[in-house]
Amino acid sequence: MSAEATTPVIAEVPSFAVTLMVRRYNPEVDSEPKWQDYDLTMYGTDRVLDALHKIKWEVDGSLSFRRSCAHGVCGSDAMRINGRNRLACKTLIKDLDLSQPIYVEPIKGLEVEKDLIVDMNPFYQAYRDIKPFLIASDKPEKERIQSAADRERFDDTTKCILCAACTTSCPVFWTDGQYFGPAAIVNAHRFIFDSRDEAAEVRLDILNDKEGVWRCRTTFNCTEACPRGIQVTRAIAEVKQAVLRGRA
Amino acid sequence: MEIVIETPNSPRKRKGANWEKYGWMYMRISGAVLIVLIFGHLIVNLWDKGVGAIDFAFVAGKWTNPFWQVWDVLMLWLALIHGTNGMRTITNDYAEKEWVRKTLNITLWVVCGALIILGTLVATTFDPCIDPNAVNYLPTVCK
C-alpha cells in the first residue's frame, strides 16, 4: 500500500482576521498606559490566550502577562476582555464580537506592574486576613468525617481559584481598596459553613469590619465575572445573614 | 517556594467600634417601612382629585389628625436618616482624602439633624387655623 492511499484528506481549518487592542504599560519607559493594536490571523479553536501567545512569540516578545495552566484551573490569566473580567484561557475568540477589535486590559483596582500584570498583594492580603485554613481543636486518628449534606453546604465556594476576576469587577473595590472584596468573603464562606471548622465566629467577627461584608452593594458584578460560576453575591449574602445570627 | 502565613490565628487589628451592621439593618427595615408610608402618602394625597387638590386647607386638615402627624413625622425621620446614611456610604467610597470624607460626613449629618428638628417642630406645633380672616383658605374644622 502506498502512503498516499492511506493519508486521509484533511480540510484546511477555517481562519479569520482579528484585531487585538492590548493595554500596554512599561514602567521604565511609559508615564501612562497606552493601547496598542495587533492584526492577527486566528482559528476557531483559538482563545484570547492563544492570541496573546501569538503576539508574544511571533510579533512582540516584550508583551507581559501571567498564565500558567492555560486551562481555567490555576487562575493566573484573569484580564478585562471587551470590558468584562474573564480568563483569557477560557474565552474563545470566535465567541466575541469580531466586527470590532478585541480590547484586552489588566484587571481594575490593583496597581499595574507591567502590561497585563497587576500587583496581586492587596488581594492576597485580604485572603490571608480571613484565615483560609481549617481551624479545629480535635485530633482524630483518621480523617474528619462529614456528611454529604454538610459538604454540600459550602460546595459552591470550594470552586474558587483565586483569579481575582470577582474582586476586581467590584465597583466598591475599585474606589475603596481597603474592602475585603468578594474573593476573600467567598473563601471565608468556604470555612464558615464547614461543619469540621470551629472558628466560624472568629471569621464572622473579622468580616463584621468597617471594610467587611457590609460594604457589599449587591451589584452582582462578581457573580457575573466568576469564571467558575460561583454564586458570589449569594455567598456574601449568606455570610451577612450569619453575621446577623452570630454563628454559621 | 516556602509559604509563610504571618502569625496565623492572631486577632486582626480593629479600628474602633463599628456600626456598619446596624446601619445595614436600619437601611433594610426603614426601606420596607418607607415603601408602605410613601405609597400610602401618595395614594391619600393624589388618588382622588390629583395634585391640583393639594392646598393649605388640605395639608392643614390632614394635620388636625394625630394619625397623619405621626405618619408624616415617621416618614420624615426614616427617609432623612435612610438617605443620609446612603450618602455617607457613597462619601466613604469616593472621598479619597480623610479630611474631605470627615467634612462631608459631618455636613451630611448636621443638615439631616437640622431638617429633622425643623420638620418635627412644624408637624407637632402646627396651627391649622392660622388666620381667622382667611376662613375660605382654612380647613373645615376652623369654620
Side-chain angles (χ1 to χ4, degrees), chain A residues 191-210:
Chain A
F191 288 100
I192 288 167
F193 294 97
D194 187 336
S195 61
R196 299 163 296 186
D197 189 89
E198 293 166 15
E201 279 80 3
V202 176
R203 294 193 187 87
L204 292 175
D205 191 45
I206 291 167
L207 290 174
N208 188 17
D209 190 85
K210 270 187 183 134

Side-chain angles (χ1 to χ4, degrees), chain B residues 121-134:
Chain B
L121 207 63
V122 169
T124 51
T125 62
F126 186 70
D127 175 15
C129 309
I130 193 164
D131 182 2
N133 299 320

Side-chain angles (χ1 to χ4, degrees), chain B residues 7-128:
Chain B
T7 55
N9 284 321
S10 69
R12 199 166 184 270
K13 284 193 195 96
R14 300 294 287 269
K15 290 167 267 173
N18 97 79
W19 298 84
E20 295 299 326
K21 180 166 89 175
Y22 305 102
W24 188 87
M25 285 164 74
Y26 174 81
M27 293 304 264
R28 264 111 203 114
I29 295 165
S30 64
V33 178
L34 277 168
I35 287 174
V36 177
L37 290 178
I38 291 170
F39 278 97
H41 172 84
L42 288 173
I43 289 165
V44 167
N45 283 17
L46 302 174
W47 194 265
D48 200 22
K49 289 176 187 150
V51 73
I54 299 178
D55 52 11
F56 181 83
F58 180 87
V59 179
K62 252 180 110 183
W63 278 356
T64 55
N65 185 344
F67 176 80
W68 290 114
Q69 274 183 315
V70 171
W71 186 292
D72 283 5
V73 168
L74 202 59
M75 201 158 63
L76 176 83
W77 279 69
L78 290 177
L80 272 172
I81 297 172
H82 187 101
T84 307
N85 192 42
M87 287 298 293
R88 180 189 71 95
T89 318
I90 296 171
T91 309
N92 286 348
D93 273 0
Y94 289 98
E96 287 179 6
K97 293 193 180 75
E98 183 61 16
W99 70 267
V100 175
R101 197 184 65 82
K102 277 228 167 86
T103 310
L104 287 172
N105 279 345
I106 291 168
T107 312
L108 276 171
W109 288 115
V110 168
V111 171
C112 173
L115 288 172
I116 283 180
I117 291 168
L118 287 175
T120 311
L121 207 63
V122 169
T124 51
T125 62
F126 186 70
D127 175 15

Side-chain angles (χ1 to χ4, degrees), chain A residues 64-78:
Chain A
S64 304
F65 55 91
R66 286 197 182 101
R67 62 100 175 82
S68 188
C69 78
H71 289 77
V73 179
C74 73
S76 302
D77 63 350

